[in-house]
Amino acid sequence: MKSKKMKRQLLSATVASSMALGLFAPPLSQQVFAAEEGFKDLIISEYIEGSSYNKAIELYNGTGEAIDLSNYSLELHSNGAETTDKVLALSGTLEAGEVLVIAHKDAGAEILAQADIEDSYVINFNGDDPITLKKNDSIIDSIGQTG
């Protein structure tokens, strides 16, 4: 049995390589990791920041149950700000094992073909702009640090 550290490294390497290839489906190793670790909530499974508007965020439901997205939001914290008014409220249901892809509305055709939601307000980040995933106003995952 692999240690948690090795599993996380495998997950990180898998996510990084799928980002480099522009793939959006959760890799098998990620699905196995989710089942073994018992994710309790949504996670940000991919972050894509390419040239121009080629930006996207992928959320993965590894909980084993359908999730009501109306309790969730994504927030953009420009330049690392602690607070923000750039909020994307989510809606609908995300089935177990499925992903939700949110892409910039002006992204390339390959990215938009994978997108479930197109947005230019929150999905308008660069390297110093943290993104937080919130459930009922509590941060449950993030890319970068606020504040």
Side-chain angles (χ1 to χ4, degrees):
M1 178 181 250
K2 294 181 182 176
S3 71
K4 287 184 180 184
K5 182 177 179 183
M6 288 178 68
K7 289 179 185 178
R8 287 189 182 108
Q9 289 172 341
L10 176 61
L11 176 63
S12 296
T14 303
V15 170
S17 38
S18 65
M19 284 174 54
L21 296 172
L23 303 175
F24 285 91
L28 180 58
S29 61
Q30 185 176 8
Q31 294 172 16
V32 170
F33 180 79
E36 289 177 3
E37 293 296 309
F39 283 146
K40 305 288 187 249
D41 225 319
L42 288 179
I43 62 165
I44 299 173
S45 52
E46 292 193 41
Y47 170 99
I48 296 174
E49 182 183 350
S51 62
S52 189
Y53 295 112
N54 292 317
K55 303 169 188 315
I57 295 284
E58 177 190 81
L59 305 178
Y60 174 63
N61 177 1
T63 65
E65 298 178 11
I67 291 180
D68 176 5
L69 295 173
S70 66
N71 298 313
Y72 297 84
S73 63
L74 275 178
E75 295 186 357
L76 171 65
H77 296 262
S78 297
N79 300 317
E82 200 159 315
T83 61
T84 186
D85 63 349
K86 295 178 181 174
V87 178
L88 175 63
L90 302 176
S91 63
T93 301
L94 188 60
E95 297 298 326
E98 296 293 325
V99 296
L100 179 73
V101 177
I102 305 115
H104 193 285
K105 70 176 189 70
D106 295 324
E110 297 91 10
I111 294 172
L112 291 176
Q114 302 297 318
D116 298 298
I117 298 171
E118 294 178 19
D119 173 80
S120 60
Y121 194 56
V122 170
I123 308 300
N124 195 26
F125 44 78
N126 61 43
D128 65 349
D129 298 334
I131 299 282
T132 57
L133 173 62
K134 286 188 169 183
K135 179 180 182 182
N136 300 324
D137 295 322
S138 295
I139 296 174
I140 59 170
D141 202 359
S142 67
I143 300 290
Q145 293 180 323
T146 61

